């Protein structure tokens, strides 16, 4: 039955016969929403579901089964329970305040002082006692979108979230009131048109991570407006996003008024509002559709609310943003960022491929890789996009190697072999060109090129055709990684791979040499410029040179560190210089522009390379600050819309998909992380004490690595810390280490005492056969201060 015909029939039958139209034929699933594989929809035994606070709501009949609906309305975060008498689908709620809850933002410091300081004053405050406290990080500055002024958004309406489906080629924005562009919640309750009332709202997602927007606007004790919005997963429209709506007034645990909607306002008699049963049937279909899309996510357990859900939501949101779930889009809704000129943006590709690989979503990773090389990589290796970013060519090559190591799928790389080799040739040509420069030239041996795509938009893009360190560093990383696996793709490629490795090693040596030679030791802390041969710092250059060749230094630093070609001492110098000279905000890479006393911005996307290097160097407290700050200040609260750039004054950031993929990467690496050389696997290196202090298990299972899948579980019980590790299934690296942060002097593995030679502080070296399960037990250090420094 046609979807619109189904809705017309449903409306015409009225409430008295509301079960009639909801037949299997009337509610046939969209082909792309079918359950993937053999995984069944998530259900739990009804007997184990608490039901004492559930308010009965209209049930429905779906595909031959009768369903009952109940909802806990005793508080705004009460679950919705749909059940067939035996099995239940429990859809939880969790909302977060969208307004500033801090008594004093910036810990009482003046915004101007924070903005103008070279040092990252907020980071210094939060790290003063060692591991940062997540609540204090959240309260350090107003949350994103907590202070909305349409004048700051060029006249556009400041939407805070959006909904959609995999099969639809567009998305639907959801505004602060819960309205969309086609359905208006404030037509149900006029109060929702009042910015002051809506400003005190809470927002969240149904089921923890499902792309269904939930808004709560409090009125007084026991009274609130409750708004739900989600996309119709059974709609077939190519570009039109059909949406379901529930707008309600809750008073003392009951609905005193509730209105259901589908996509548009009523136009009687042809378009009547849907009945409640249709809404709840659609909600169940929505729930099952999205769980089916993410069946391949490895199980992760974090006992502190939100973290595991953020990872799942990022992958769901990627499927919403990408038409058919795979075609790339940089942003959503607004022409800027959703326009076709952004589709081939390299960061969209690399962040997606990286995150999907790290979480074992190999089918999605393959589709993203195949589509990008088919549609956006030309035969000569150039990209079908306005302006190439030189370093991203190198990152692409590195991720291709990672794809092969994780999946063993050489056939897909063979399919695109000519384009991959043309990408390699591009970097080799640029390297050869740099070697023709005089030895006295600061750029000798360093790849020249744009580091940032936006360089191509200016009247004279040649100003940014420079030897930025990241260009050569990521080229070295990509060539080195791909050379190691390319003979597995191309049988006669040994000589070519050897030549690529030679180029990579020369580039890495030259980067190290040049960075050391250009350190400003006259500054405290010592300062590393984004390119050689400059005397002004990036702040000085941005103030004095219009335009500045040091534009976008944040990208240079993040990519330079991500490449991991610097020795540890030099990488530490770069990081310390960034924190000391204005290149970080709240511990996250800053979006660097001319100094402004009214703002100091966070870079929400591409900054994960900086965090990656923090973890490599064992700077775990700073890694956790980055993790917390990115969650709470680069995302809108509750609805988790990630911003390309976010200020720390409560403005609405512009969404971009690469920023959304950052938390999945950071969370995965906190549990499972490998070194660039492919020799060492680190487990539990950045698990916060706060997670362990709950006494609940903290775990990631079946995480993919280049040696096969592995898993780790930790649990603290009083003074004892235990861990269970499943070693990689296929092979073991040269070394496997697990970090037992706060562990005491006595550690046992399967009952045997760990030798001193296998300990480095809190890190324990593991030995065993591939796939072996190890059980580790340790007492905790006596003093909490020894844990917290």
């Amino acid at each position: 039955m046609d979807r619109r015909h189904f809705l017309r029939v449903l409306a015409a039958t009225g409430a008295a016969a509301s079960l009639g139209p909801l037949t299997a034929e009337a509610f046939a699933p969209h082909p792309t929403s079918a359950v993937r594989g053999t995984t069944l929809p998530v259900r739990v035994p009804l007997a184990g579901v608490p039901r004492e606070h559930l308010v009965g709501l209209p049930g429905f009949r779906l595909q031959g089964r009768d369903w009952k609906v109940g909802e806990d309305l005793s508080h705004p975060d009460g679950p919705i329970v749909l059940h067939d008498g035996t099995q239940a689908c429990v859809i939880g709620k969790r909302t977060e305040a969208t307004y500033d809850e801090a008594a004093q933002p910036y810990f009482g410091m003046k915004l101007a002082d924070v903005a103008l300081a070279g040092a990252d004053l907020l980071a210094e405050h939060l790290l003063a006692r060692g591991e940062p406290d997540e609540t204090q990080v959240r309260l350090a500055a107003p949350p994103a979108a907590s202070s909305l002024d349409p004048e700051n958004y060029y006249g556009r309406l400041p939407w805070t979230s959006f909904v959609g489906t995999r099969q639809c080629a567009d998305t639907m924005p959801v505004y602060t009131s819960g309205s969309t562009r086609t359905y208006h919640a404030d037509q149900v309750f006029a109060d929702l048109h009042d910015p002051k009332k809506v400003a005190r709202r809470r927002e969240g997602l149904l089921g923890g991570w499902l792309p269904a927007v939930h808004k709560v606007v409090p009125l007084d004790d026991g009274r609130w407006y409750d708004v739900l919005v989600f996309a119709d997963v059974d709609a077939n429209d190519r570009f039109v996003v059909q949406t379901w709506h529930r707008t309600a007034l809750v008073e003392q645990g009951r609905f005193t008024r509730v209105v259901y909607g589908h996509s548009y306002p009523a136009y009687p008699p042809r378009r009547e509002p849907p009945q409640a049963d249709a809404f709840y049937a659609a909600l169940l279909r929505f729930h099952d559709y999205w769980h089916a899309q993410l069946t391949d996510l490895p199980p992760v357990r974090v006992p502190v609310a939100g973290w595991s859900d953020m990872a799942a939501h990022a992958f769901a949101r990627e499927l919403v943003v990408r038409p058919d779930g795979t075609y790339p889009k940089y942003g959503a809704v607004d022409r800027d960022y959703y326009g076709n000129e952004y589709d081939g943006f390299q960061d969209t590709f690399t962040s997606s491929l990286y995150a999907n690989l790290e979480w074992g979503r190999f089918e999605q990773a393959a589709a993203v890789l195949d589509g990008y090389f088919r549609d956006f990589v030309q035969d000569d290796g150039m990209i079908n996009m306005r302006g190439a970013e030189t370093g991203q060519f190198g990152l692409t090559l590195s991720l291709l190697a990672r794809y092969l190591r994780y999946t063993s799928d050489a056939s897909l790389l063979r399919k695109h072999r000519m384009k991959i080799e043309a990408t390699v040739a591009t970097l080799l040509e640029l390297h050869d060109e740099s070697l023709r420069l005089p030895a006295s030239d600061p750029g000798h041996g360093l790849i020249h090129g744009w580091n940032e795509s936006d360089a191509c938009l200016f009247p004279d893009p040649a100003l940014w055709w420079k030897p930025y360190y990241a260009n050569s560093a990521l080229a070295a990383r990509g060539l080195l990684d791909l050379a190691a696996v390319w003979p597995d793709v191309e049988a006669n490629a040994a000589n070519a791979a050897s030549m690529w490795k030679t180029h990579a090693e020369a580039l890495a040596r030259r980067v190290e040499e040049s960075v050391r030679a250009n350190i400003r030791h006259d500054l405290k802390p010592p300062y590393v410029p984004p390119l050689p041969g400059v005397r002004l710092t990036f702040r000085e250059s941005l103030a004095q040179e219009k335009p500045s060749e040091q534009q976008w230094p944040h990208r240079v630093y993040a990519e330079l560190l991500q490449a991991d070609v610097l020795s540890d001492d030099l990488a530490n110098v770069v990081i310390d210089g960034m924190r000391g000279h204005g290149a970080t905000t709240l511990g996250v890479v800053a979006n660097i522009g001319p100094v402004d006393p009214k703002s100091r911005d966070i870079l929400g996307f591409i900054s994960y390379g900086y965090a990656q290097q923090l973890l490599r160097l064992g700077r775990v407290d700073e890694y956790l600050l980055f993790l917390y700050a990115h969650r709470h200040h680069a995302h809108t609260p509750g609805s988790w819309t990630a911003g390309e750039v976010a200020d720390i004054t409560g403005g609405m950031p512009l969404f971009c998909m690469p920023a959304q993929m950052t938390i999945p990467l950071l969370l995965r690496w906190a549990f499972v992380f490998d070194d660039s050389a492919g020799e060492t696997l680190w487990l539990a290196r950045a698990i916060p004490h706060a997670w362990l202090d709950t006494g609940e298990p903290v775990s990631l299972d079946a995480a993919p690595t280049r040696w096969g899948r592995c898993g780790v579980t930790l649990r603290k019980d009083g003074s004892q810390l235990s861990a269970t590790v499943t070693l990689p299934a296929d092979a073991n690296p040269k070394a496997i280490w697990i970090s037992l942060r706060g562990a005491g002097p006595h550690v046992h593995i399967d009952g045997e005492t760990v030798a001193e030679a296998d300990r480095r502080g809190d890190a324990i070296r593991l030995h065993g056969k591939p796939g072996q399960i190890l059980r580790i037990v340790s007492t905790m250090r006596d003093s909490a201060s020894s844990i917290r420094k």
Side-chain angles (χ1 to χ4, degrees):
M1 181 183 292
D2 177 79
R3 181 70 181 163
R4 290 182 179 77
H5 181 53
F6 155 65
L7 289 172
R8 288 198 299 270
V9 171
L10 179 64
T13 58
S18 60
L19 294 181
L22 285 171
T23 63
E25 292 79 16
F27 224 101
H30 187 280
T32 62
S33 68
V35 176
R36 295 161 61 169
T38 58
T39 303
L40 297 176
V42 177
R43 305 284 186 264
V44 296
L46 179 61
V49 178
R51 287 180 281 169
E52 58 268 24
H53 296 297
L54 296 184
V55 174
L57 299 172
F60 56 91
R61 185 171 180 82
L62 179 61
Q63 298 180 355
R65 298 164 69 187
D66 291 325
W67 289 80
K68 294 183 179 180
V69 181
E71 185 169 356
D72 181 354
L73 297 176
S74 64
H75 59 99
D77 288 349
I80 301 172
V81 178
L82 307 96
H83 69 89
D84 63 0
T86 303
Q87 296 293 307
C89 172
V90 180
I91 303 177
K93 304 196 203 103
R94 186 210 61 254
T95 56
E96 299 176 1
T98 63
Y99 47 87
D100 189 5
E101 297 180 288
Q104 281 188 315
Y106 321 119
F107 306 114
M109 291 182 273
K110 294 180 180 179
L111 174 60
D113 293 339
V114 171
L116 296 176
D120 187 345
L121 299 181
L122 297 178
E124 289 183 354
H125 181 91
L126 289 161
L127 292 167
R129 297 180 60 194
E131 181 177 310
D133 178 84
E134 181 178 352
T135 299
Q136 290 301 306
V137 176
R138 178 173 62 83
L139 297 175
S146 61
S147 179
L148 298 177
D149 180 357
E151 293 300 319
N152 292 338
Y153 307 105
Y154 309 100
R156 76 179 184 94
L157 295 173
W159 54 271
T160 55
S161 190
F162 57 88
V163 296
T165 65
R166 179 178 186 137
Q167 64 265 22
C168 191
D170 210 340
T171 56
M172 177 62 72
V174 181
Y175 300 106
T176 54
S177 64
S179 296
T180 66
R181 286 189 178 273
T182 58
Y183 186 89
H184 308 284
D186 53 11
Q187 292 177 353
V188 179
F189 297 111
D191 280 351
L192 295 178
H193 193 66
D194 184 344
K196 292 183 179 179
K197 281 190 171 64
V198 172
R200 301 295 295 178
R201 74 195 180 280
R202 297 179 65 88
E203 292 194 12
L205 305 164
L206 287 186
W209 59 267
L210 302 172
V213 175
H214 178 214
K215 293 175 183 277
V216 173
V217 179
L219 297 174
D220 49 48
D221 189 36
R223 299 177 67 243
W224 67 88
Y225 293 121
D226 195 276
V227 181
L228 296 179
V229 185
F230 60 91
D232 185 342
V233 299
D234 293 296
N236 297 308
D237 308 79
R238 182 58 180 156
F239 292 99
V240 177
V241 182
Q242 305 284 351
T243 50
W244 288 97
H245 303 259
R246 190 188 78 180
T247 311
L249 173 60
V250 181
E251 297 184 289
Q252 309 310 319
R254 292 290 185 273
F255 286 139
T256 55
R257 187 186 178 201
V258 58
V259 175
Y260 299 92
H262 185 270
S263 301
Y264 310 113
Y267 189 92
R270 294 297 184 184
R271 177 180 289 150
E272 295 285 0
Q275 299 297 316
D277 51 4
F279 176 87
Y280 294 112
L283 179 60
L284 180 63
R285 286 282 308 120
F286 169 87
H287 170 276
D288 292 352
Y289 169 103
W290 280 109
H291 275 274
Q293 300 297 330
L294 268 62
T295 56
D296 53 2
L297 271 185
V300 60
R301 181 185 298 181
V302 176
V304 177
W307 286 104
S308 56
D309 287 336
M310 284 194 85
H313 180 67
F315 292 112
R317 176 156 274 185
E318 180 183 38
L319 299 181
V320 168
V321 169
R322 287 175 173 261
D324 297 320
T326 57
Y327 183 86
K329 286 291 180 181
Y330 180 61
V333 180
D334 300 304
R335 180 63 177 80
D336 274 334
Y337 293 21
Y338 196 71
N340 66 80
E341 68 271 25
Y342 300 95
D343 293 352
F345 198 37
Q346 291 156 291
D347 299 292
T348 305
F349 168 65
T350 53
S351 64
S352 173
L353 183 58
Y354 211 162
N356 280 287
L357 284 175
E358 295 293 67
W359 282 86
R361 287 176 51 79
F362 295 155
E363 182 180 339
Q364 178 71 2
V368 167
L369 194 163
D370 188 35
Y372 188 77
F373 270 83
R374 181 188 63 239
D375 297 332
F376 297 101
V377 180
Q378 299 171 174
D379 290 343
D380 63 356
M382 273 303 296
I383 59 169
N384 183 18
M385 195 263 181
R386 64 180 192 190
E389 294 165 341
T390 307
Q392 290 292 309
F393 286 123
L395 182 56
T396 292
L397 300 181
S398 177
L399 292 175
L400 295 178
R402 185 171 292 263
Y403 175 85
L404 182 60
R405 290 188 183 278
Y406 279 20
T407 69
S408 300
D409 178 17
S411 62
L412 184 54
L413 300 192
R414 290 191 191 102
K415 176 181 177 180
H416 299 292
R417 179 177 63 85
M418 299 300 291
K419 290 183 177 181
I420 295 170
E421 291 179 341
T423 303
V424 171
T426 300
L427 294 176
L428 300 186
E429 290 165 4
L430 291 171
H431 186 212
D432 287 340
E433 185 175 330
S434 73
L435 292 171
R436 289 191 284 270
L437 295 172
S440 59
D441 192 303
H444 174 80
L446 295 171
I447 289 177
H448 293 55
W450 297 327
N451 180 248
E452 165 59 49
S453 178
D454 287 349
C456 73
L457 302 177
F458 288 79
D460 184 14
L463 176 63
W464 293 283
W465 195 266
K466 295 289 171 64
Y468 300 106
Y469 287 128
N471 295 349
S472 297
L474 275 179
R477 170 54 52 206
L479 292 170
L480 194 65
D481 290 349
L482 192 64
V485 302
W486 199 244
D488 296 332
V489 177
E490 177 62 29
N492 300 315
N495 290 337
S498 177
M499 185 259 290
W500 301 352
K501 183 180 179 183
T502 299
H503 275 271
E505 292 171 343
L507 281 166
R509 285 194 302 270
R510 181 67 181 114
V511 170
E512 171 96 4
E513 173 188 80
S514 181
V515 168
R516 284 195 186 279
N518 282 273
I519 297 174
R520 290 280 303 274
H521 290 286
D522 58 312
L523 299 177
K524 301 298 178 186
Y527 168 85
V528 174
L531 74 165
V534 296
R535 292 303 300 168
L536 298 178
T537 66
F538 58 77
R539 277 193 164 190
E540 293 168 341
S541 176
L542 290 168
Q544 299 175 32
E545 300 175 326
K546 308 285 185 181
S548 166
E549 65 180 342
Q550 296 191 52
Q551 193 83 12
W552 315 290
H554 39 262
R555 178 182 286 275
V556 179
Y557 289 125
E559 292 182 343
L560 170 62
L561 292 169
Q562 181 172 2
D564 194 28
V565 299
L566 300 177
S567 57
D568 287 356
D569 70 305
L570 203 51
N572 279 307
V573 170
V574 173
I575 291 171
D576 292 341
M578 291 175 67
R579 276 190 55 188
H581 294 288
T584 70
T585 302
L586 266 171
V588 181
V589 177
N591 186 66
I592 300 170
V595 175
D596 180 352
K598 297 181 180 180
S599 68
R600 182 162 178 154
D601 296 343
I602 288 173
L603 188 70
F605 84 128
I606 71 169
S607 55
Y608 63 87
Y610 172 85
Q612 194 177 54
Q613 188 62 278
L614 290 174
L615 196 56
R616 290 192 190 104
L617 296 171
R619 299 174 69 147
V620 175
D621 292 342
E622 291 166 272
Y623 184 86
L624 293 176
L625 175 58
F626 188 110
L627 178 71
Y628 295 157
H630 199 283
R631 169 182 172 165
H632 293 292
H633 297 287
H635 293 74
T636 57
S639 57
W640 296 335
T641 298
E644 177 192 56
V645 174
D647 63 38
I648 57 171
T649 62
M652 179 64 205
L654 284 172
F655 165 77
C656 82
M657 197 61 234
Q660 197 83 55
M661 306 309 284
T662 299
I663 289 295
L665 287 168
L666 298 178
L667 183 62
R668 197 273 198 188
W669 294 334
F671 283 95
V672 179
F673 186 71
D674 60 354
D675 72 332
S676 299
E679 297 180 347
T680 304
L681 181 64
W682 287 94
L683 303 176
R685 197 167 202 192
I687 304 300
H689 292 294
W691 296 0
L692 296 173
D693 288 344
T694 65
E696 297 296 321
V698 183
S699 65
L700 175 61
D701 297 332
T705 72
R706 65 183 76 195
W707 305 281
R709 301 225 178 211
C710 70
V712 58
T713 299
L714 295 96
R715 186 169 189 172
K716 181 182 174 184
D717 184 4
S719 62
Q720 181 174 287
L721 179 63
S722 60
T724 301
V725 172
T726 302
L727 297 179
D730 301 330
N732 282 341
K734 289 184 178 180
I736 304 174
W737 295 85
I738 184 170
S739 295
L740 302 178
R741 304 180 68 226
H746 304 295
V747 181
H748 298 85
I749 300 178
D750 291 339
E752 298 292 329
T753 302
V754 172
E756 283 300 316
D758 286 331
R759 289 204 62 168
R760 294 180 185 171
D762 289 343
I764 310 297
R765 185 165 184 169
L766 305 179
H767 303 276
K769 298 177 181 179
Q772 184 176 348
I773 298 175
L774 304 177
R775 292 173 175 83
I776 308 158
V777 177
S778 170
T779 55
M780 301 293 290
R781 289 197 293 269
D782 293 335
S783 172
S785 62
S786 69
I787 297 174
R788 301 281 182 174
K789 297 183 182 178

